[in-house]
Amino acid sequence: MDVGVLYSGGKDSTLAALLLEPFYDVTALCCTFGITDEYQHAMEAASRVNIPTKAVELDPEIADRATIRIAEDGFPRNGIQYIHEQALETVADGTYFDAIADGTRRDDRVPTVDRSLAQSLEDRFDISYLSPLSGYGRSAIDSLVDELLVVESGPSDDIEKGDYEAEIRALLSERHSDTLVKEAFPEHTQSRVVRRK
Amino acid sequence: MDVGVLYSGGKDSTLAALLLEPFYDVTALCCTFGITDEYQHAMEAASRVNIPTKAVELDPEIADRATIRIAEDGFPRNGIQYIHEQALETVADGTYFDAIADGTRRDDRVPTVDRSLAQSLEDRFDISYLSPLSGYGRSAIDSLVDELLVVESGPSDDIEKGDYEAEIRALLSERHSDTLVKEAFPEHTQSRVVRRK
């Protein structure tokens, strides 16, 4: 069975891929709006852990709408949730995968994929939606990551990741201001997977 | 890392064990109140799929309280939820396992372990609680079971399983009536794992 995992190069989406790997043929789906090339960091991270990759172009309008929402809100939560849902819709629509997956965790606040959204994706696109980390809490995830992966962590500005955040920050900076970027995305710790242990 | 999985011999708890197996040393925990010997069916099922087993004695008072509740309610939902929570507490308390797990699924109505109960178990007993199937919907679980296991399904009366239900039915029958057993547990399809594929 084939599964495509929304993949950022961080520890969560990498662990999600690793948990699926014994049971599925896993492809890391690295999404881009075409604003920057930062999805290449995700492609490289997947290659370093030997997971096949596929670039996925997301409609730039999704980024536009998310950016407007984040600028209005002054915080990224709703915009990031919107992007995640649209990314799932994009990869689910007309795919050859039996299942799509992501790295959302039990303790995550955003993005979240609740049961009704999962069921809706499954019904409309005739695929399975999998969130292999949603049965695991923070300490179990940390232990598994520690056992399986070498990870580099650091401030969000310094870590070369390939998630949506980088492109949205660039768009916010271009259309609004760096001040808004710093307000909406306060510096936080990001992770980048270096290799398997 | 060691994980103990609440184990009934059915397809869900067996699949939960199989999903954990590449990453943990898995032990199937087969619970009994000492009312009947039906937990032996769970022990045998685990042996057939080569998962190490451990019998766990649950306090008979848990069964007493659950039975009273089911008799009052006329349906098993709250009683079964109570037993499941007490079983998790029992195996979490003073265990040598790094984690405890169960076969609860995303689409299950009962038993459920919500985020706050999971967090409470983890905080009080310094273990991780894992529900590896909670990121999987029904069709994904069916596909995985179909790929990994030979399963025998049939009416609940005919299938030799080792979950709490059998002992609670026996206790209800003894203390109340067979009519109540049939009302509270209408015949439903159960599964029993025969072997790995």
Side-chain angles (χ1 to χ4, degrees), chain A residues 2 7 10 19 39 45 48-50 55 69 83 93 97 102 112 115 118 143 151 153-154 162 177 183-184 186:
Chain A
D2 292 301
Y7 188 77
L19 290 185
Y39 76 103
R48 288 195 299 269
V49 291
N50 294 318
R69 181 68 192 259
I83 293 172
D93 192 8
F97 293 112
D102 63 25
T112 58
R115 192 173 134 184
S143 299
V151 174
S153 294
S177 69
E183 272 172 29

Side-chain angles (χ1 to χ4, degrees), chain A residues 1 18-20 22-24 106-108 115 118-119 122 128-131 134-136 139-140 143-144 147-148, chain B residues 1 18-20 22-24 106 108 115 118-119 122 128-131 134-136 139-140 143-144 147-148:
Chain A
M1 293 180 289
L18 265 52
L19 290 185
L20 293 168
F23 310 99
Y24 291 87
R106 187 187 82 196
D107 300 337
D108 272 349
R115 192 173 134 184
Q119 193 70 59
E122 296 186 340
S128 290
Y129 163 75
L130 314 178
S131 53
S134 67
Y136 295 75
S139 78
S143 299
L144 285 167
E147 191 159 302
L148 300 171
Chain B
M1 291 180 290
L18 265 51
L19 291 184
L20 293 168
F23 309 99
Y24 292 87
R106 188 188 81 198
D108 273 348
R115 192 173 133 184
Q119 193 69 60
E122 296 185 341
S128 291
Y129 163 75
L130 314 177
S131 54
S134 66
Y136 296 76
S139 79
S143 299
L144 284 167
E147 191 160 300
L148 301 171

Side-chain angles (χ1 to χ4, degrees), chain B residues 1-5 16-18 20-22 24-28 51-53 97:
Chain B
M1 291 180 290
D2 293 301
V3 62
V5 184
L18 265 51
L20 293 168
E21 201 177 42
Y24 292 87
D25 292 318
V26 177
T27 300
I51 300 170
T53 56
F97 293 113

Side-chain angles (χ1 to χ4, degrees), chain A residues 7 9-15 18 45 48-49 141-154 159 161 189-197:
Chain A
Y7 188 77
K11 62 183 182 176
D12 290 342
S13 55
T14 305
L15 182 60
L18 265 52
R48 288 195 299 269
V49 291
I141 288 173
D142 288 347
S143 299
L144 285 167
V145 166
D146 191 51
E147 191 159 302
L148 300 171
L149 294 167
V150 176
V151 174
E152 185 180 67
S153 294
I159 290 291
K161 259 185 81 182
T189 301
Q190 292 266 36
S191 69
R192 185 183 80 111
V193 164
V194 181
R195 58 177 171 80
R196 295 195 199 220
K197 270 187 184 167

Side-chain angles (χ1 to χ4, degrees), chain B residues 32-53:
Chain B
T32 179
F33 298 109
I35 301 167
T36 74
D37 280 339
E38 256 137 328
Y39 77 102
Q40 291 287 357
H41 297 314
M43 303 278 279
E44 289 156 14
S47 298
R48 287 194 300 269
V49 292
N50 294 318
I51 300 170
T53 56

